[in-house]
Amino acid sequence: LAKTTQPISMDSYEGQEVNITCSHNNIATNDYITWYQQFPSQGPRFIIQGYKTKVTNEVASLFIPADRKSSTLSLPRVSLSDTAVYYCLVGDFRNAGNNRKLIWGLGTSLAVNP
Amino acid sequence: NAGVTQTPKFQVLKTGQSMTLQCAQDMNHNSMYWYRQDPGMGLRLIYYSASEGTTDKGEVPNGYNVSRLNKREFSLRLESAAPSQTSVYFCASSELGVGGGYEQYFGPGTRLTVT
């Protein structure tokens, strides 16, 4: 069963690039890697998802090495509003049966300072 | 579109009482999920429903039951609440996205306290 490990907290400054790495040594062949953002008193919000190599959207990039045992969320030029908790999720959404395992990391609390 | 809605937002129960948390989504998603979130524990999957008419256990199902009432609604029931069930409960739904991935959409959560 995949277990995800990520740093508890990180600090940054406005305008910098932030990279948050998640370790998932036991990732299964069919598992996807997904990152979510959560603000206090709100539900998590999807940021980006990937299976291998690199994925980029309008808010972030996700880097996944060939062995898929880790992944790195990259947030370019962060602002104060990016202060939040970021979660790594590893799981197989395609499995429609009773083996759909969704393993969340404990979250990385990112503080962006002016 | 309201997305995913949950009721109630807050609830206080006494040990042994029962209650049902309601969840509805208006995005026509096939899959729905119930999570609990505790400090220092992250999110843990309680039950999920891959499609209408099916439900399956997640990581922490003990003490809970679920009902997928129809494609829109997925409820979570606590038959006899215990203090260990004090938590924030999130409902989510998902569907295969354009890029082939699965994006979960979360509700605002229900903050439950069991005394």
Side-chain angles (χ1 to χ4, degrees), chain B residues 66-88:
Chain B
V66 290
S67 296
R68 184 74 183 267
L69 304 170
N70 47 56
K71 193 171 185 179
R72 288 187 65 249
E73 298 171 289
F74 189 38
S75 63
L76 178 73
R77 182 160 178 84
L78 287 70
E79 289 292 350
S80 179
S84 61
Q85 294 178 305
T86 293
S87 187
V88 180

Side-chain angles (χ1 to χ4, degrees), chain A residues 30-52:
Chain A
N30 294 330
D31 285 345
Y32 277 75
I33 300 156
T34 316
W35 284 83
Y36 286 82
Q37 176 191 56
Q38 187 178 29
F39 297 109
S41 301
Q42 294 186 21
R45 186 174 68 175
F46 175 90
I47 301 173
I48 196 166
Q49 182 179 77
Y51 182 79
K52 61 181 178 180

Side-chain angles (χ1 to χ4, degrees), chain A residues 32-84:
Chain A
Y32 277 75
I33 300 156
T34 316
W35 284 83
Y36 286 82
Q37 176 191 56
Q38 187 178 29
F39 297 109
S41 301
Q42 294 186 21
R45 186 174 68 175
F46 175 90
I47 301 173
I48 196 166
Q49 182 179 77
Y51 182 79
K52 61 181 178 180
T53 64
K54 176 184 174 182
V55 180
T56 297
N57 62 22
E58 61 275 10
V59 299
S61 294
L62 178 59
F63 299 91
I64 305 170
D67 65 8
R68 305 203 322 124
K69 293 185 177 183
S70 66
S71 58
T72 299
L73 172 71
S74 181
L75 303 172
R77 299 178 298 281
V78 294
S79 64
L80 296 176
S81 62
D82 292 317
T83 293

